Amino acid sequence: MAKKRSIQEQTSDPAAQAMLIRAEELGIGTAFSRADNMVPCNIGGAGMCCKLCGMGPCRLTKDGQTGVCGATIDTIQARNLIRAIAAGSAAHSDHGRDMAFTLKAVANGETEGYMIRDVAKLRMVAAKYSIPIEKRSPEEIANDLADLYISQFGQQRGTIAPIIRAPEKRQKLWEELGVIPRGVDREVVEALHRTHIGDDQEPEHILHHAIRTALADGWGGSMIATDVSDILFGTPAPILGQANLGVLKEDMVNVVVHGHEPTLSEMIVAASQDPEIIEYARAAGAKGVSLSGICCTANEILMRQGIPAAGNFLHQELAILTGSVEAMVVDVQCVMQALVGLAQNFHTQIITTSPKVRIKGAVHIEFDEHKALTVAKQILRKAIDNYKNRGATHIPNIREDLVPGFSHEYINYMLGGTYRASFRPLNDAIISGRIRGVAAIVGAYTLGGRSVPAVHAQAQQSPPHCSIPKSYGAAKIGFMGVVGFEDARGTVRLLELSPSGCRLAFVIERQ
Amino acid sequence: MAKKRSIQEQTSDPAAQAMLIRAEELGIGTAFSRADNMVPCNIGGAGMCCKLCGMGPCRLTKDGQTGVCGATIDTIQARNLIRAIAAGSAAHSDHGRDMAFTLKAVANGETEGYMIRDVAKLRMVAAKYSIPIEKRSPEEIANDLADLYISQFGQQRGTIAPIIRAPEKRQKLWEELGVIPRGVDREVVEALHRTHIGDDQEPEHILHHAIRTALADGWGGSMIATDVSDILFGTPAPILGQANLGVLKEDMVNVVVHGHEPTLSEMIVAASQDPEIIEYARAAGAKGVSLSGICCTANEILMRQGIPAAGNFLHQELAILTGSVEAMVVDVQCVMQALVGLAQNFHTQIITTSPKVRIKGAVHIEFDEHKALTVAKQILRKAIDNYKNRGATHIPNIREDLVPGFSHEYINYMLGGTYRASFRPLNDAIISGRIRGVAAIVGAYTLGGRSVPAVHAQAQQSPPHCSIPKSYGAAKIGFMGVVGFEDARGTVRLLELSPSGCRLAFVIERQ
């Protein structure tokens, strides 16, 4: 058994600490305690086991040892890595696929509740692909863009369209290396084929295709997802928000959305403001419906609508432990199977909504973009009906203000204004040395490594001349946007980090 | 360390036994000895470990234990299973994709050495999809069929076209269950997405999609591969062949083709009969070039061209151990990485040919359908040049005659003749009870389980009334086609099994 850590060792977040104490009082396990009880396999963790065929699983623990087929440790580790990359690309891109289908349906008036909110972004994106935009309705343009985007997933040859938006120098490099994806799905499938027993067995060659598979997501599926989200729900701009478990309300029906997709959660935001739903909540004895988010779904509605984030991936169980959540509505990815068993100790209902995801014991209310608002209201009514079953609550009074929403479009506008939108002031400042650099901090909150989350560690270990302020306080927990922050050395920074901890963050230092 | 087995325990094939004795004499390891030295991980082998996210790898060894995320053993095993199915579908179907591209190139006159050999099958298949065939050239029909087939991989919605060739009752069942694939790649990618951390967590729901993913291969990629192979290289009909290591020749240049694809190997067959190549071999002191196959590539050229099979998956190293192989030409799948190191003890050159596959230390001569015959000749010349480096040989004098090639098209013809091709005589005989049944034996020769190969075990354990003859002799090693065999009880059987052991086999008993 691994070492039991103190709660202070498990997390530095006081809200999480409070809930872990509560869990101990109730004798309820969480991911934190399960992590303490689970010794990770050190062979598998280092990618030194191969279970790709039926002759193993082979564990390569001795120097120079090979698998039964003769596969070396380098081959096996490269295969394990590319399979992880393929799964990540598949998951992220599959979300982009659904967004493209939603855009198509919206363009054809087949959905309920959606509209094209950011026509400027739609026109800008469409123009990049030479889709005619003059004298055309947003719906006509969106229909063409949706067709183009849907085709990127199944495309068999050539190069994916969004690659043209990369800097030219970078495109040239990718072309020379032969790593420009032909189609999103094809690269993922080929990654699986190449790692079948007795296929690609030169580590560099395997990793070469891993790059192509990753680009298929980054410049394919994920980019499509971002574009469509911005077009349908608005491109993010700075907005005041709050984060941490203290955003849960004592006197309102708490509905927590969790997962990775904005399509349903955006409709739940809309439905929660519907007078009919507010009245329904009041009739149930609550002051209304309070929405909050967990993980990437939180990020989607926080940066666009200012809906508070209850926490990151590791807060999903802790939110339920407050006893104040009537419904946790989940879509895809990062939803712990433990939620259902945990919720049985309280009144919380776990509601799965994706056709792709079921969890034993959860309520399933399937989301359908064609009747999105209806489904959203159905879910909210279910949550409100559950309010009467709420018992004692223990919501930690801990929350922080933050400012998310620094999309690259906004920064472009911020630096140059409406008529001269430009990154030039930033570029000039970097060239002249006035700004020392721009750093991206990317990572996810998990219990892997069982220590300080990677994001924290990265932030704390930055070199002195671009370190994140020691006292970045408000940003520490939600790890989200602080603007114009001053530290002891008088530097000013623009800092944005996502609540789920897995999105791009950046730090700009002005001296 | 696992138990060292005797050579008789390792294999019942006398040819393989002879080569394993030779390997021991030379102090050279093989998959058999590596298997004896490798203790398979019993946790991973039972699908009880999960390394899908960075919080583990979690090993569930105690009753009721869950992963750090709360995933149960049922969820974890279902995920591991569907990932294996996705990889298998990806690999098999990716082969079908390349075949469809080859058909397209042949139809457009862009290849070298290929032709449409089975126009009747082309017309039959095209007609199934309502592609016009009357008054059209084979190339015109093939072009349309290739377009249809290529589109099956990237298709995003609807149902894959070849599904219409399943029995109607079966199609209806699949439709009711919602398991008809939308597109080949999409199902594979969704399988990866669903098994991302915190996604699909109801085992039945995961396995439901596993069925759809498997059908995407069986009725998509694999069926396309078979159709195109038949169209380009001829639909198999019974042909006399030979199997086992004794097919290697003392006085000829031995070229062994190994892997899974027929495109290059068919060209090597053609090139090996070219007078120019035969003369080149004679000038090198050999009587000519002798081709043989290993694994599924063997099957492709055995059942169509009667080219002998040197053995199955487990014979690949043993062929090299004979010291008589000038070149082993590999394409994709089931090629042991150990081959290169093993070949260094002899003169054998391992030649990789697929753009998807590299092996450190192998010679890479990339196959290109547009200059297939040229590449094939280049490879043969390289093998012939290597003949002078051959040392002492130890070819076991063991080989068996066999008759492969019982395609369903042939059986249909065989039972009804040219004008009344029909399965009716067979159906009638089964209905009347004269034939007791038709059995499929499917399995692969591997060292998994470390015991009698599954195919042997299945055959030996069939119920008495449809048992395979105890003395099935000729079929035992190559495990391939015996026609009209009589056993002690006077039954007559039609038996076909593939040399790689992983294809459909069937047994028909007439009493």
Side-chain angles (χ1 to χ4, degrees):
Chain A
M1 184 179 287
K3 198 186 153 204
K4 170 87 181 80
R5 298 169 304 161
S6 71
I7 284 173
Q8 286 70 28
E9 288 171 316
Q10 287 176 329
T11 175
S12 59
D13 169 17
Q17 287 172 355
M19 297 325 297
L20 290 178
I21 291 167
R22 178 80 186 134
E24 277 203 348
E25 285 168 5
L26 296 171
I28 293 175
T30 65
F32 294 88
S33 61
R34 288 191 299 273
D36 279 359
N37 291 329
M38 177 68 71
V39 183
C41 175
N42 59 355
I43 299 171
M48 300 193 304
C49 91
C50 177
K51 44 180 193 171
L52 298 186
C53 88
M55 299 197 293
C58 296
R59 291 168 293 184
L60 271 56
T61 53
K62 295 169 210 147
D63 222 29
Q65 197 183 8
T66 68
V68 171
C69 68
T72 60
I73 186 71
D74 295 341
T75 297
I76 289 171
Q77 288 182 320
R79 280 176 180 161
N80 285 327
L81 177 60
I82 194 177
R83 284 227 169 164
I85 289 169
S89 279
H92 260 128
S93 289
D94 207 36
H95 158 51
R97 183 195 329 263
D98 287 336
M99 295 304 299
F101 280 136
T102 302
L103 182 64
K104 174 86 181 169
V106 172
N108 289 281
E110 295 165 8
T111 58
E112 183 194 72
Y114 299 106
M115 58 179 287
I116 295 168
R117 281 208 200 152
D118 194 337
V119 176
K121 174 134 191 183
L122 168 67
R123 291 168 64 91
M124 185 276 288
V125 171
K128 296 259 186 206
Y129 305 117
S130 306
I131 292 172
I133 57 172
E134 295 310 323
K135 295 181 187 165
R136 298 185 83 200
S137 73
E139 287 71 23
E140 285 172 310
I141 300 169
N143 183 63
D144 287 358
L145 182 64
D147 284 342
L148 175 74
Y149 274 177
I150 291 168
S151 74
Q152 300 306 301
F153 296 92
Q155 188 172 282
Q156 294 295 308
R157 284 177 156 173
T159 58
I160 56 169
I163 214 83
I164 58 164
R165 288 158 72 184
E168 269 179 39
K169 201 173 158 186
R170 179 67 34 173
Q171 286 184 56
K172 198 162 168 290
L173 176 67
W174 288 338
E175 200 183 327
E176 283 166 11
L177 293 173
V179 294
I180 301 183
R182 295 159 293 189
V184 177
D185 291 348
R186 182 166 185 190
E187 306 312 347
V188 172
V189 171
E190 185 168 320
L192 283 193
H193 180 190
R194 288 198 189 201
T195 51
H196 181 278
I197 178 182
D199 262 295
D200 207 357
Q201 290 164 114
E202 192 178 88
E204 297 82 354
H205 198 241
I206 295 170
L207 295 178
H208 185 268
H209 184 68
I211 293 170
R212 185 156 60 166
T213 307
L215 287 174
D217 178 41
W219 288 84
S222 283
M223 193 163 203
I224 289 170
T226 302
D227 281 348
V228 177
S229 291
D230 287 352
I231 290 166
L232 292 180
F233 308 123
T235 302
I239 188 169
L240 190 64
Q242 282 193 322
N244 218 340
L245 293 169
V247 306
L248 294 168
K249 298 283 190 298
E250 290 284 0
D251 50 5
M252 295 176 88
V253 175
N254 286 309
V255 175
V256 178
V257 290
H258 171 24
H260 270 67
E261 298 194 332
T263 37
L264 173 60
S265 55
E266 285 278 350
M267 276 310 112
I268 292 181
V269 173
S272 71
Q273 291 153 3
D274 189 297
E276 175 201 333
I277 290 293
I278 294 169
E279 189 43 49
Y280 194 76
R282 285 191 181 143
K287 281 194 179 165
V289 175
S290 174
L291 275 193
S292 56
I294 290 274
C295 216
C296 286
T297 294
N299 202 27
E300 298 276 359
I301 53 173
L302 170 61
M303 66 185 176
R304 291 198 178 87
Q305 315 289 350
I307 300 295
N312 61 48
F313 172 73
L314 294 178
H315 288 80
Q316 58 186 292
E317 293 176 299
L318 310 183
I320 293 173
L321 274 159
T322 65
S324 70
V325 177
E326 273 62 48
M328 184 171 278
V329 185
V330 305
D331 47 65
V332 296
Q333 302 170 23
C334 299
V335 179
M336 291 190 189
Q337 190 170 352
L339 291 182
V340 172
L342 176 71
Q344 283 165 356
N345 296 292
F346 303 91
H347 72 309
T348 308
Q349 288 189 326
I350 308 296
I351 303 175
T352 52
T353 59
S354 167
K356 294 168 196 158
V357 172
R358 296 276 174 111
I359 305 176
K360 228 179 221 343
V363 176
H364 188 74
I365 301 178
E366 195 151 305
F367 172 63
D368 177 352
E369 62 207 19
H370 303 95
K371 46 175 188 168
L373 199 59
T374 304
V375 174
K377 284 184 184 174
Q378 186 189 347
I379 288 170
L380 288 183
R381 278 198 206 91
K382 198 161 179 63
I384 293 165
D385 290 343
N386 195 26
Y387 183 65
K388 64 175 185 291
N389 300 319
R390 188 192 280 191
T393 60
H394 292 76
I395 304 174
N397 189 22
I398 296 167
R399 74 194 75 80
E400 297 92 20
D401 290 337
L402 46 81
V403 182
F406 291 88
S407 56
H408 70 88
E409 286 93 342
Y410 179 77
I411 296 167
N412 201 19
Y413 160 78
M414 184 181 77
L415 292 173
T418 304
Y419 295 104
R420 295 192 206 181
S422 166
F423 289 121
R424 179 142 186 188
L426 174 60
N427 293 342
D428 284 349
I430 291 173
I431 290 163
S432 72
R434 200 157 54 84
I435 289 179
R436 301 290 287 271
V438 178
I441 298 184
V442 186
Y445 278 95
T446 80
L447 289 162
R450 312 276 188 273
S451 61
V452 180
V455 182
H456 271 90
Q458 280 179 46
Q460 284 160 1
Q461 288 165 17
S462 342
H465 64 278
C466 64
S467 67
I468 290 178
K470 291 281 178 291
S471 56
Y472 53 107
K476 193 169 67 176
I477 307 312
F479 232 115
M480 167 66 86
V482 176
V483 186
F485 190 97
E486 294 202 29
D487 79 354
R489 288 181 294 121
T491 59
V492 180
R493 290 176 184 78
L494 166 64
L495 169 66
E496 173 167 331
L497 288 147
S498 86
S500 69
C502 68
R503 291 289 173 86
L504 185 71
F506 52 88
V507 183
I508 301 172
E509 175 168 358
R510 181 142 47 86
Q511 290 188 311
Chain B
M1 186 179 288
K3 198 185 152 207
K4 169 87 181 76
R5 297 170 305 162
S6 71
I7 284 173
Q8 287 69 29
E9 288 171 314
Q10 287 177 329
T11 175
S12 58
D13 170 16
Q17 287 172 354
M19 297 325 297
L20 291 178
I21 290 167
R22 177 83 185 131
E24 276 202 349
E25 285 167 6
L26 296 172
I28 294 175
T30 64
F32 294 87
S33 62
R34 288 191 299 274
D36 279 0
N37 290 328
M38 176 69 70
V39 184
C41 176
N42 59 354
I43 299 172
M48 302 193 303
C49 91
C50 178
K51 45 180 193 172
L52 300 185
C53 88
M55 299 197 294
C58 296
R59 291 169 292 184
L60 272 57
T61 52
K62 296 168 208 146
D63 221 31
Q65 197 183 8
T66 68
V68 170
C69 69
T72 60
I73 185 70
D74 295 342
T75 297
I76 289 170
Q77 288 180 321
R79 281 175 180 162
N80 285 328
L81 177 60
I82 194 177
R83 284 226 170 166
I85 290 168
S89 281
H92 259 128
S93 290
D94 207 35
H95 159 51
R97 183 196 327 264
D98 287 336
M99 295 304 300
F101 280 136
T102 302
L103 183 64
K104 174 87 181 167
V106 172
N108 289 280
E110 296 165 5
T111 58
E112 183 193 71
Y114 299 105
M115 58 179 288
I116 295 168
R117 281 208 202 153
D118 195 337
V119 176
K121 175 134 190 183
L122 168 68
R123 291 169 64 91
M124 185 278 288
V125 171
K128 296 260 185 204
Y129 305 118
S130 305
I131 292 171
I133 57 172
E134 295 310 323
K135 295 181 187 165
R136 299 186 81 201
S137 73
E139 287 71 23
E140 284 173 311
I141 300 169
N143 184 62
D144 287 0
L145 182 63
D147 284 343
L148 176 74
Y149 274 177
I150 291 168
S151 75
Q152 300 306 300
F153 295 90
Q155 187 171 283
Q156 295 294 309
R157 284 177 157 173
T159 59
I160 56 170
I163 214 82
I164 58 164
R165 288 158 71 184
E168 269 180 37
K169 201 172 157 188
R170 179 66 34 173
Q171 285 184 56
K172 198 163 168 287
L173 177 67
W174 289 338
E175 200 183 327
E176 283 165 11
L177 292 173
V179 293
I180 301 183
R182 294 158 293 189
V184 177
D185 291 347
R186 182 166 185 189
E187 306 311 347
V188 173
V189 171
E190 185 167 320
L192 284 194
H193 179 190
R194 287 197 191 203
T195 50
H196 180 278
I197 177 182
D199 262 295
D200 207 357
Q201 289 163 116
E202 194 178 85
E204 297 83 353
H205 198 242
I206 295 170
L207 296 178
H208 185 269
H209 184 68
I211 293 170
R212 184 155 60 165
T213 307
L215 288 174
D217 177 40
W219 288 84
S222 283
M223 193 161 202
I224 289 169
T226 302
D227 282 346
V228 176
S229 291
D230 287 352
I231 290 166
L232 291 181
F233 309 121
T235 302
I239 188 168
L240 189 64
Q242 283 193 320
N244 218 341
L245 294 169
V247 305
L248 294 168
K249 297 283 189 297
E250 290 285 359
D251 50 4
M252 295 178 88
V253 175
N254 287 307
V255 175
V256 178
V257 290
H258 170 26
H260 270 68
E261 298 194 333
T263 37
L264 173 60
S265 54
E266 285 278 352
M267 276 310 111
I268 292 181
V269 174
S272 71
Q273 291 152 6
D274 189 298
E276 174 201 334
I277 291 292
I278 293 169
E279 190 42 50
Y280 194 76
R282 284 190 182 145
K287 282 196 177 161
V289 175
S290 175
L291 274 193
S292 56
I294 290 274
C295 216
C296 286
T297 294
N299 201 29
E300 297 275 359
I301 53 174
L302 170 59
M303 67 184 175
R304 292 197 178 88
Q305 315 290 350
I307 301 295
N312 62 48
F313 172 73
L314 293 178
H315 289 81
Q316 58 186 293
E317 292 176 300
L318 310 183
I320 293 173
L321 273 159
T322 64
S324 70
V325 177
E326 273 61 50
M328 185 171 277
V329 185
V330 306
D331 47 65
V332 296
Q333 300 170 27
C334 299
V335 180
M336 292 190 188
Q337 190 170 351
L339 290 182
V340 172
L342 176 70
Q344 283 166 355
N345 296 293
F346 304 91
H347 72 307
T348 308
Q349 287 190 325
I350 308 297
I351 303 175
T352 52
T353 59
S354 167
K356 293 168 196 158
V357 172
R358 297 277 174 109
I359 304 177
K360 228 181 219 348
V363 176
H364 188 74
I365 301 179
E366 196 151 304
F367 172 64
D368 178 352
E369 63 209 18
H370 302 94
K371 45 175 186 167
L373 199 58
T374 304
V375 173
K377 285 185 185 173
Q378 186 188 349
I379 288 169
L380 288 184
R381 278 199 206 91
K382 199 164 178 61
I384 293 165
D385 290 343
N386 195 27
Y387 183 65
K388 63 175 184 290
N389 300 318
R390 189 193 278 191
T393 60
H394 291 77
I395 304 173
N397 189 22
I398 296 166
R399 75 194 75 81
E400 296 93 21
D401 290 336
L402 45 81
V403 182
F406 290 88
S407 57
H408 70 87
E409 285 93 341
Y410 179 78
I411 296 167
N412 200 20
Y413 160 77
M414 183 181 76
L415 292 173
T418 303
Y419 296 103
R420 295 191 207 182
S422 166
F423 290 119
R424 181 145 183 184
L426 174 60
N427 293 344
D428 284 349
I430 292 173
I431 291 164
S432 72
R434 201 156 54 86
I435 288 179
R436 302 289 288 269
V438 178
I441 299 184
V442 186
Y445 279 95
T446 80
L447 290 162
R450 312 274 188 275
S451 62
V452 181
V455 182
H456 271 91
Q458 280 179 47
Q460 285 160 1
Q461 288 166 17
S462 339
H465 64 278
C466 65
S467 66
I468 290 178
K470 292 281 177 291
S471 56
Y472 53 107
K476 194 168 68 176
I477 306 310
F479 233 113
M480 167 69 86
V482 176
V483 187
F485 191 96
E486 294 202 28
D487 79 354
R489 289 182 293 123
T491 59
V492 179
R493 288 174 183 78
L494 167 64
L495 169 66
E496 172 166 332
L497 289 146
S498 87
S500 69
C502 67
R503 290 289 173 84
L504 185 71
F506 51 88
V507 183
I508 301 172
E509 176 167 357
R510 183 143 45 86
Q511 289 189 312

